[in-house]
Amino acid sequence: MIAAPIHLGADRLMLDPSGALFWPQRRLLAVSDLHLEKGSSFARRGMLLPPWDTEVTLDRLALLLRRYNPAVVVTIGDSFHDREAAARLPAAQAARIRAMTASCRFVWVLGNHDPVPAEQLGGEWVDEFADGNLIFRHQAHPREPGARYNTKTVGEICGHHHPKAAIAVRGGMQTRPCFVADPHRLMLPAFGAYTGGLDVRHPEIMRLFPRGGRVFLLGRERLFSFTLAQAGVPVPAPIATQSFGGGS
Amino acid sequence: MEGTLPELFLQWFSARGWQPRRHQLSMVAAARAGQSCLLIAPTGGGKTLAGFLPTLVELSEPRKHVLHTIYISPLKALATDIARNLVAPVTEMALDIAIETRTGDTPANRRRRQREAPPDILLTTPESLAVLLSSATATEMFAHLSCVVIDEVHALAGTKRGDQLALCVARLRALAPGMRTVGLSATVAHPAELMAYVGAKTLVEEPDGEPPVINLMIPDGRMSWGGHMGIESAPKILALIRQAGMTIVFANTRAQVELIFQALWRLNEENLPIALHHGSLEIDQRRRVEAAMSDGRLRAVVATSSLDLGIDWGGVDQVLQVGAPKGVSRLLQRVGRANHRMDEASVATLVPANRFEVLECEAAIEGIAAREMDGDPPRPGGLDVLAQHLLGMACAAPFLPDDAFREVSATQPYADLTRADFDAVLGYVETGDYALHAYEHFRKLFRDSEGRIHVRSARIAALYRMNIGTIVASPVLKVKLVGKRAFGPVLGEIEEGFANSLRPDDAFIFAGRKLKFLRVNANMVEVSEGAERDPLIPTYAGSRMPISTNLAGRVRALMQSPDTWHRFPGQVQEWLRLQSRRSRMPGPDDLLVEIFPRAGRWYLVAYCFEGRNAHQTLGMLLTRRMQRAGYFPLGFVATDYVVGVWSANQPTEVEELFGEDMMGDDLEEWMADSSMLKRSFRNVAVIAQLIQRNQPGSARSGKQVTMNTDLIYDVLRRHQPDHVLLRATRADAAHGLIDVARVSGMLARVQGRIVPVVLSRVSPLAIPALLDIGREQVGVGIDRDDLLAEAEAIVAEGMAEDEPAPRKRRLVKRDVAAKHALVAS
């Protein structure tokens, strides 16, 4: 796994191919949109999805905690799929979470899916989390991309939209979850096992990056970097011009 | 067989100047004897009337009005059309018979009335029948049923729709024990299996009419090496259209239909009425084209398989097939669209798009002459379909598992179903059947004290009914033409993936028009006319079928017999001779593998002739092995005839590469992680209703379903690899997308007969495959990090100067290793 460095304002951050962010200077690890217990949330409504999604998501998080040994963990909202999800956690998984929140400073930023704290799991529950020049919040504030905040230029780290991007490659398109970044804002892909994605060209995402930006597509071993403008551009159709030049 | 028909019917026949046909009388006799039967007859043989005649005879006698006969068609339109045609004899004989259709388009009030007071004859589709059967009133409604007629049964048996229909017919048989079944079919390769599918004791066969006259037409000038569109032949196609009254021009894909249509109209100076027809066009548009055909107002229709089945169009004078025919049965079905009169030969012309297709066309002409039908023997019924059916049974009425198992295993698709599999499927429907018994609280079924299975709530039943069906379509968006008026016509639909790739002012060709993309608005793609840019062509997933095993065998045989080459156009002969001289021809039982350098790479081209899907699989497996052997494979291309891999180093141990052990660990390892399986799993998950796409309110976005099922697949595979849905997925993929059966069959056949030929440059036979590189679609949704790395490197190179600030050169530099590791996932 090769992490890729980017700069947000003056801060150097590492993007991990798992979809997590590591801030070496603060030893801070951030992930977004875990959507724990999404499986059981669907099961309540009659779709009996395989019940291991929380376990898989926590396995992936545990791996990152071992690799980066962070001093601070921030989950940027929608950590739980619904208001009752924390209460539905299987005992073993709840215990794992408590062990994680006890092992370092663990900050839960609240999201729209999980607006209420689940204090019994430990950690701090906040609406947003600021450190130095960076602010971590679930949903980006569209009005202040790179605006002044507390008299300093800040970078914003957000989630919520589950960005994914399609890139034209030889013979077709490749679609992956991705980070989206401009010099002032970084949007994380969803980290949860059952989380789908929204194409970065959706207006909801595009309006947050009015001056363009880069996408970093998650690969098996590393990230693949393209400009936001390259995302979703279709493969040129070789047949189109050829056929119209043909004929008589 | 005199006296089989009542006087009234004999009079009707003679009033029309007809004679009852032998097979029609046989069908009436079989019905009298209470026998279920299968009728195999060529198109135009009066097959539909033969199917209905026994019912009409029985209903012409005094009786009370109950639902007597259900007619099932694979096509909604066909059911409607048959109803119309059936009304004619019924009115002309003044019979007191109520005939109605019931499809997804039937309005709610009529559905309700049909449940309360059913007609004598109900014409419907497998899906609508499943909906009827899941209703609590089903027992009452079908209690007096006498007959089920399954039309085009050859097109249903062996598919998931066919599995569903077989289960529904078994249900009907349980509700109406005396009922008989009738199958109507075109000529097939496996009539015995089809009889078993229908439950028929009697086979009635109508001999074929005159053998069709099939010609081959190649374009003027140099014949194309590659490409599959056949546009170069447009002038000659138009000339043929000009000579005939009414022509159907069949193509293999919707994109090809659009292109040929455009090409014809650019040349069509006389403004001959030429229309187009394919499954993505708006239904009204298709109906208008069909009506114009029937009325003789058209000179030609360019069409896909949307016109393969069904309605007898009458006045079609000739059929053209542009591009490779892919299979003998399919070609015969298409050819049969011309001249629906038994005593006249159908006339058809094949128009190959490249040199390889010339061979395939000749092979198909031979295959038709030899009447060698395609078709694999039937595969076992899908466990996903069974899951859907069992939930439906519980929605209708409580049942005992023992009874249900007996009923299900009496059908042909599920004849070999084990009790263990049945119980696993039932367990899946109840609670998900997960090793982690997590969903006891959320179970969908419960058992009463007598062991009978009930559905837990009305809500679960309602959701089930909203999600009945076994056709998992790709998510699509409607295309709406907007101009000065705010409300323009809807032209049809394109796949969401393609729509999402469009930007304002992008041009694309659809419904025979060059359109300008404006925006996506509330799930409608809004377009206008008058596009300026070079147009794109919408693509549709899974629209290409691989060449059939029989036909591929005939292509090999042709290559192997130089004495037959004189039949080919001069250029093709020259091409084959050059191949013989410079390399060699693939033999009937061996595997020719050519290895040659080109532009700093080594190419390995294997002439397997196992069809595109099998070659995709083989390409994935080969690159893995070549990687291990240190050849540094860089990519591969799969066509219907060959698989080609290019690599940095020269592959030397070719026989080892094609060892049979490829099907062992390599396959297992690759399959486990393969996105092909994810695609199959998506279908299984939707059919088994693990994912219910239709929810009260609005349908979930299809895009999201793709994402979610991939992720669900990963989780399930890791934690319960033997889960019943994963087993269903592997069984599906083995015959479909990854076609393991054909790969392993081929490997077994060629062991000890692998013929590696090292050349100094590309061989004549390899040219078409090399030209397909870059043109071939890599399957959508397959994770290929190698391709992303390639695209990234190209962009990094080309854009080196004007990139914005945050970027990561290091990644590109570090990528040397990754570049060498261009292994398929």
Side-chain angles (χ1 to χ4, degrees), chain B residues 578-611:
Chain B
L578 204 60
Q579 170 71 16
S580 311
R581 248 199 332 271
R582 289 245 301 267
S583 172
R584 51 168 288 167
M585 297 306 284
D589 297 310
D590 63 12
L591 176 63
L592 172 63
V593 182
E594 292 177 335
I595 292 150
F596 51 84
R598 200 186 150 266
R601 291 164 165 183
W602 282 90
Y603 285 77
L604 176 151
V605 178
Y607 296 84
C608 309
F609 294 92
E610 295 297 343

Side-chain angles (χ1 to χ4, degrees), chain A residues 2-7 12 14 38-53 55-56 59-60 88 90 164 167-177 181-183 192-197 199 201 206 213-214 216-248, chain B residues 229 231-232 235 255 259 262 266-267 428-432 434-436 438-439 442-444 456 459 463 500-503 506 509 534-537 634-636 646 673 689-692 695 700 703-704 707-708 711-712 715-716 718-720 773-785 787-792 795 799 803-804 806-808 810-811 814-815 818 825:
Chain A
I2 307 165
I6 66 157
H7 285 87
R12 185 164 173 275
M14 302 298 288
K38 184 169 177 176
S40 61
S41 185
F42 275 77
R44 287 196 302 181
R45 289 182 275 142
M47 284 196 229
L48 306 177
L49 303 184
W52 295 276
D53 55 315
E55 190 180 333
V56 168
D59 285 350
R60 289 164 60 183
R88 282 199 312 272
K164 67 173 182 187
I167 293 293
V169 300
R170 180 164 52 79
M173 306 289 281
Q174 288 284 314
T175 305
R176 305 288 173 83
D182 69 11
Y194 283 170
T195 46
D199 194 284
R201 291 187 44 213
M206 288 301 269
R214 290 200 76 84
F216 300 87
L217 277 69
L218 308 190
R220 201 155 299 162
E221 299 294 329
R222 66 178 187 91
L223 297 161
F224 298 96
S225 161
F226 298 90
T227 64
L228 191 52
Q230 281 159 348
V233 178
V235 189
I239 42 176
T241 42
Q242 172 202 312
S243 56
F244 280 77
S248 66
Chain B
M229 291 297 169
I231 307 297
E232 299 82 1
L259 283 170
Q262 293 285 338
R266 279 190 311 117
L267 303 170
Y428 155 76
V429 181
E430 284 184 283
T431 61
Y434 298 115
L436 195 73
Y439 294 149
F442 308 128
R443 50 174 43 249
K444 288 161 93 160
R456 195 191 77 209
R459 197 178 154 274
L463 268 171
N500 287 338
S501 75
L502 294 171
R503 306 188 154 204
D506 273 353
I509 292 178
D534 271 348
L536 304 159
I537 310 276
L634 301 163
F636 75 89
W646 52 99
D673 208 29
Q689 296 201 3
L690 178 66
I691 300 285
Q692 291 174 314
Q695 293 285 328
R700 280 158 55 82
K703 203 73 187 170
Q704 208 143 5
M707 285 303 296
N708 287 351
L711 301 166
I712 291 163
V715 169
L716 186 54
R718 196 168 131 194
H719 288 268
Q720 199 171 339
I773 296 172
R775 188 162 10 208
E776 276 302 302
Q777 284 280 320
V778 175
V780 190
I782 304 175
D783 281 358
R784 291 281 301 269
D785 278 14
L787 295 178
L788 270 175
E790 187 180 284
E792 189 192 54
V795 172
M799 307 286 283
E803 264 186 300
R807 61 168 190 219
K808 12 169 284 306
R810 274 176 56 197
L811 263 193
R814 252 196 227 185
D815 190 30
S825 56

Side-chain angles (χ1 to χ4, degrees), chain B residues 613-740:
Chain B
N613 292 346
H615 291 163
Q616 281 276 358
T617 299
L618 196 56
M620 301 273 189
L621 295 177
L622 274 177
T623 42
R624 289 177 78 99
R625 291 173 80 98
M626 288 173 69
Q627 176 70 20
R628 268 210 309 277
Y631 303 137
F632 294 110
L634 301 163
F636 75 89
V637 62
T639 75
D640 259 345
Y641 313 109
V642 307
V643 55
V645 189
W646 52 99
S647 56
N649 295 344
Q650 180 182 358
T652 46
E653 307 297 322
V654 173
E655 269 153 55
E656 264 164 47
L657 277 182
F658 285 89
E660 246 185 306
D661 55 338
M662 197 191 298
M663 302 309 286
D665 294 350
D666 276 319
L667 180 70
E668 282 308 311
E669 207 179 301
W670 169 68
M671 266 191 36
D673 208 29
S674 155
S675 323
M676 299 289 189
L677 281 200
K678 289 184 184 168
R679 254 157 89 195
S680 293
F681 179 74
R682 171 169 175 257
N683 290 353
V684 166
V686 171
I687 292 172
Q689 296 201 3
L690 178 66
I691 300 285
Q692 291 174 314
R693 294 215 276 191
N694 300 317
Q695 293 285 328
S698 64
R700 280 158 55 82
S701 149
K703 203 73 187 170
Q704 208 143 5
V705 169
T706 313
M707 285 303 296
N708 287 351
T709 54
D710 285 3
L711 301 166
I712 291 163
Y713 172 84
D714 286 337
V715 169
L716 186 54
R717 183 173 68 79
R718 196 168 131 194
H719 288 268
Q720 199 171 339
D722 62 343
H723 189 266
V724 63
L725 292 192
L726 291 182
R727 285 190 283 132
T729 302
R730 283 191 290 268
D732 264 17
H735 289 280
L737 282 174
I738 61 176
D739 221 345
V740 174

Side-chain angles (χ1 to χ4, degrees), chain B residues 381-507:
Chain B
L383 298 179
D384 49 350
V385 182
L386 180 60
Q388 191 184 109
H389 183 75
L390 291 178
L391 181 53
M393 277 180 74
C395 292
F399 65 88
L400 285 168
D402 288 353
D403 294 347
F405 177 66
R406 208 172 305 123
E407 181 179 313
V408 165
S409 52
T411 67
Q412 180 263 336
Y414 297 94
D416 296 329
L417 180 74
T418 63
R419 182 61 196 247
D421 275 348
F422 175 86
D423 288 337
V425 171
L426 188 57
Y428 155 76
V429 181
E430 284 184 283
T431 61
D433 202 36
Y434 298 115
L436 195 73
H437 298 285
Y439 294 149
E440 281 301 318
H441 292 318
F442 308 128
R443 50 174 43 249
K444 288 161 93 160
L445 306 178
F446 69 89
R447 298 181 192 226
D448 64 20
S449 56
E450 290 155 45
R452 292 189 309 167
I453 307 265
H454 297 250
V455 69
R456 195 191 77 209
S457 70
R459 197 178 154 274
I460 286 177
L463 268 171
Y464 158 78
R465 289 193 191 98
M466 290 178 76
N467 287 283
I468 287 177
T470 56
I471 302 172
V472 184
S474 298
V476 289
L477 295 176
K478 296 257 184 210
V479 179
K480 190 165 105 169
L481 191 61
V482 296
K484 296 181 187 81
R485 290 162 301 148
F487 299 102
V490 172
L491 301 176
E493 52 202 27
I494 57 177
E495 287 191 359
E496 197 180 317
F498 178 77
N500 287 338
S501 75
L502 294 171
R503 306 188 154 204
D505 294 336
D506 273 353

